[in-house]
C-alpha cells in the first residue's frame, strides 16, 4: 500500500490502469482532453502489478480495481466516479486545485 501511496503522490494526477481496459483508455483520454498529463501506471505491465492491485483494493478500489484515479495524492475513484465529477463540473476544478492543469 505504501508503494501505491508513493506513486499516487508523485504527480498531481495519477491513473492506475490496465493496457486492455477500455474504460481506462477513456479516462486517460478525458484527462488529456482537459489538458492534464497524468502519470499512468499500467498494473498488468508492472513486475509488481499483482501487489499494486491488492493495495488498490485495500484503498477501496473494488471490482474492477482499475482505473483508479488519484488527484493531488487523494483517491478520487474509478471510471464511474470520475465521469460523475466531470458531468457535475467538479473534475476540472479538482485538477486545477491540484495544479494538474492551469486555467
Amino acid at each position: 500500500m505504501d508503494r501505491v501511496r508513493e506513486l499516487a503522490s508523485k504527480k498531481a494526477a495519477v491513473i492506475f490502469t490496465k493496457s486492455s481496459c477500455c474504460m481506462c483508455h477513456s479516462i486517460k483520454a478525458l484527462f488529456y482532453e482537459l489538458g492534464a498529463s497524468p502519470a499512468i501506471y499500467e498494473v498488468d505491465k508492472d513486475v509488481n502489478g499483482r501487489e499494486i492491485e491488492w493495495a488498490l483494493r485495500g484503498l477501496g478500489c473494488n471490482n474492477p480495481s482499475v482505473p483508479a484515479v488519484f488527484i493531488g495524492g487523494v483517491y478520487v475513484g474509478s471510471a464511474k466516479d470520475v465521469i460523475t465529477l466531470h458531468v457535475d463540473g467538479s473534475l476540472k476544478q479538482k485538477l486545477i486545485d491540484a495544479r494538474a492543469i492551469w486555467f
Side-chain angles (χ1 to χ4, degrees):
M1 197 167 313
D2 291 336
R3 174 94 171 118
V4 168
R5 287 197 177 123
E6 175 190 337
L7 293 172
S9 64
K10 284 194 174 203
K11 274 192 94 171
V14 176
I15 306 172
F16 291 90
T17 70
K18 285 187 177 178
S19 58
S20 61
C21 171
C22 64
M23 287 308 295
C24 294
H25 174 76
S26 297
I27 296 302
K28 289 188 293 187
L30 172 61
F31 272 61
Y32 294 138
E33 182 180 309
L34 291 171
S37 182
I40 305 294
Y41 296 101
E42 291 188 346
V43 297
D44 59 330
K45 293 189 176 182
D46 191 295
V47 174
N48 299 312
R50 284 258 195 241
E51 291 82 15
I52 291 172
E53 271 194 272
W54 280 109
L56 288 169
R57 286 190 176 125
L59 291 172
C61 312
N62 293 311
N63 250 357
S65 59
V66 294
V69 178
F70 292 79
I71 298 175
V74 177
Y75 176 61
V76 173
S78 64
K80 179 184 80 166
D81 304 307
V82 171
I83 291 168
T84 299
L85 291 172
H86 181 57
V87 169
D88 75 16
S90 60
L91 177 61
K92 188 172 184 178
Q93 189 58 52
K94 284 185 179 296
L95 291 169
I96 291 169
D97 292 346
R99 298 185 179 205
I101 58 175
W102 299 269
F103 282 93

